[in-house]
Amino acid sequence: MLKIITGDLFKTASQCLVVPVCEDKDIHSDPSVVELIQKTKPISEFHGKKEESLLLYHVEGFKAERVLYMGMGKSTGLDAEAFRMMAGKSVKKGIGNGLSDMTICAPAADATGLESETLMASIMEGACLGNHIFDAYKKEKTKKSLKTVSIFINPSIAEIFKNLPLRITNICRGTMLARDWVSMPGNDKTPDRLVRSMVKAAEKEDLSFTILDDKVMKQNGMGAIMAVGAGSRSKPRLLILDYNPYKNKKSAKDKRTIALVGKGVTFDSGGINLKPPASLDEMKMDMSGAAAVAATLITLARLNHHFRVVGVIPVVENMPSGDATRPGDIIKTYSGKTVEIGNTDAEGRLILADAMSYAIKMFKPDMMIDLATLTGACIVALGEKIAGVFSKNQKLCDDIVASGDATAERCWPMPMPDDYKSLLKSEFADINNMSSTRSGGAITAALFLSEFAEDTQWAHIDIAGPAYSKKGGDYCGPGGTGFGVRLLVDLMGKI
Ligand code: BES
Ligand code: ZN
Ligand code: ZN
């Protein structure tokens, strides 16, 4: 769908040329694009300000049917995200107008203050992600994705970036795969069905997988996963995806193994501590960590990543019923530690505890990162667009925040003070899954998890806010956002 083109813009056949325009400076070096921008000068309603756009038809001298001018505001305020948003918005407009192709004119990188690769990649990402439509459940598919988005660039850099469209497409496919899983309704993604859908996607790539079913998990003593799944007739699963580029080789160039753990609650009703009705429908998104981890593994395999990454993905449905776990119950986790269930709605930390212990026991990872829609408290703290990062490893935390900045999947460091651990004390078991106070809920949840990280280098990312968007954004439709895939792929390339 993404393509790089060069040549004569006057003669380029396209349904729509897209020209990003700044209000204070010309950011294009191609004379034909500069000429296109000249045509807007007499038009009083367009100055290149942010949020402004202008659509002209049959501009004299150009073969393209339309030109869409997109206001970018002041050139000093440009960043990669501004270009993702511009490209996403343009593609959405194209889809709205029933087009099948668009040609985005890339500005000159030096005029934008961005590295040329960053600039190209962000335009491509915004275009590719903005072209995703989740309409699997609509009888009438009124919107159609564009078939092609071409990026018109200077011939001098076309050769350098010739592999970029494929790389960006692969990464964005990962995000879109995660979005589809998150947006899928709970009735269609019971733990078994979701895991099978993940395996189906993984099988197309060079990934090995193992599925532990409820019987095996029960035998193995995974009491926490079993306790959360007890109330649902759709039984829990544990999916392990293993990307090992050195599988059939004698020695590995990079010997590291990184474990990614993702919370997979296909629907979180709260269990016996039933949630209030508001936004209960959105609790189908409580498997967003699982979706991000599975899609990341699949993406890394497609990109031939250079070290081993394993995904450990516990998948359960949290439901109330006569078989459900009760508040006050005491369960035994895979680690041997016992947990008093203070609240059945604090289920994510329980399934993650077993999954983390399993990851450590089976793979002895050099590093472990979990992604989870863990707490409403994290949304209160950081809002709906920023994830919370919890880690005692400062370098790992900094790397995650840096990847968040690079991908605009923003992350912010949160504290894990040892003295707050006493809030999780239980009179009867080793630990309680619920804090004795309502405040600091995202922190106490992270501290609970830390009890199961042993001495493994570990970070926890609470994605409860950014994993789902009711309204959607400039390059994302309503529903799952796929948050975490671009972040983790970037991070795996950095560490
Ligand atoms: N899945 C929720 C957290 C959540 C809330 C995710 C809103 C996305 C949007 C989690 O399982 C939960 O219910 N957490 C409780 C914990 C509490 C009972 C200690 C919460 O945050 O209220
Ligand atoms: Zn819950
Ligand atoms: Zn939950």
Side-chain angles (χ1 to χ4, degrees), residues 126-429:
C128 196
L129 293 173
N131 203 26
H132 174 251
I133 300 166
F134 179 75
D135 61 0
Y137 292 84
K138 295 258 193 204
K139 183 175 177 218
E140 279 179 36
K141 324 263 183 209
T142 45
K143 289 184 187 167
K144 255 196 145 142
S145 295
L146 305 185
K147 283 206 182 77
T148 322
V149 178
S150 308
I151 318 291
F152 179 77
I153 69 173
N154 194 305
S156 64
I157 51 170
E159 180 63 22
I160 308 172
F161 295 125
K162 68 170 193 285
N163 296 327
L164 202 56
L166 181 62
R167 181 179 162 78
I168 299 299
T169 303
N170 276 330
I171 296 170
C172 294
R173 275 174 71 196
T175 300
M176 296 186 286
L177 187 61
R179 284 181 184 177
D180 286 348
W181 279 324
V182 174
S183 297
M184 185 186 278
N187 54 331
D188 271 354
K189 57 178 176 196
T190 59
D192 186 58
R193 285 175 76 176
L194 180 60
V195 161
R196 277 195 279 146
S197 169
M198 287 173 167
V199 165
K200 199 171 160 204
E203 269 180 327
K204 296 188 186 128
E205 313 304 328
D206 193 13
L207 284 171
S208 330
F209 68 89
T210 311
I211 302 171
L212 306 190
D213 66 14
D214 49 317
K215 290 186 196 73
V216 176
M217 282 195 280
K218 197 172 173 203
Q219 273 164 13
N220 283 334
M222 296 180 167
I225 295 178
M226 292 309 294
V228 176
S232 172
R233 46 171 102 183
S234 306
K235 292 300 162 204
R237 298 285 182 266
L238 182 65
L239 169 65
I240 299 102
L241 295 175
D242 187 353
Y243 168 69
N244 186 357
Y246 306 108
K247 195 170 40 191
N248 303 315
K249 307 211 168 86
K250 282 213 178 84
S251 65
K253 266 195 217 135
D254 189 333
K255 294 194 166 46
R256 288 177 296 171
T257 298
I258 305 235
L260 301 177
V261 181
K263 171 178 172 182
V265 177
T266 60
F267 181 70
D268 182 11
S269 69
I272 297 294
N273 292 98
L274 195 61
K275 282 182 183 294
S279 304
L280 199 50
D281 57 323
E282 288 179 13
M283 279 304 130
K284 65 173 183 179
M285 59 74 97
D286 210 19
M287 37 56 73
S288 300
V293 168
T296 298
L297 265 288
I298 289 165
T299 307
L300 291 172
R302 281 191 193 132
L303 298 174
N304 294 316
H305 187 69
H306 62 282
F307 56 73
R308 187 179 187 192
V309 184
V310 293
V312 179
I313 304 172
V315 188
V316 304
E317 186 178 41
N318 187 21
M319 290 295 240
S321 81
D323 293 326
T325 298
R326 292 158 284 260
D329 282 2
I330 294 178
I331 55 127
K332 192 167 184 180
T333 62
Y334 186 58
S335 72
K337 280 193 179 132
T338 58
V339 182
E340 179 181 354
I341 308 296
N343 191 316
T344 60
D345 197 12
E347 83 299 337
R349 63 196 77 183
L350 294 170
I351 66 168
L352 290 172
D354 275 356
M356 284 165 60
S357 303
Y358 182 85
I360 294 169
K361 185 169 176 207
M362 301 305 282
F363 301 104
K364 299 181 182 54
D366 298 281
M367 201 176 264
M368 181 165 71
I369 300 166
D370 79 82
L371 254 77
T373 47
L374 205 61
T375 65
C378 199
I379 312 179
V380 174
L382 297 173
E384 284 180 7
K385 290 189 175 176
I386 304 177
V389 189
F390 301 80
S391 183
K392 294 245 156 124
N393 181 330
Q394 192 58 48
K395 160 95 172 46
L396 178 56
C397 181
D398 292 347
D399 286 343
I400 292 171
V401 172
S403 286
D405 288 342
T407 56
E409 296 195 328
R410 283 173 290 173
C411 296
W412 195 253
M414 299 281 279
M416 275 203 293
D418 280 331
D419 57 327
Y420 281 26
K421 273 190 189 163
S422 59
L423 298 169
L424 294 166
K425 267 196 188 135
S426 162
E427 293 295 339
F428 311 111

Side-chain angles (χ1 to χ4, degrees), residues 416-472:
M416 275 203 293
D418 280 331
D419 57 327
Y420 281 26
K421 273 190 189 163
S422 59
L423 298 169
L424 294 166
K425 267 196 188 135
S426 162
E427 293 295 339
F428 311 111
D430 297 328
I431 192 169
N432 198 304
N433 78 331
M434 172 80 179
S435 167
S436 55
T437 153
R438 277 188 55 198
S439 343
I443 298 173
T444 43
L447 285 170
F448 180 93
L449 294 181
S450 74
E451 290 295 308
F452 299 87
E454 300 174 37
D455 51 5
T456 307
Q457 296 302 311
W458 161 76
H460 157 60
I461 310 180
D462 192 331
I463 61 168
Y468 195 85
S469 169
K470 216 182 175 80
K471 287 208 188 105

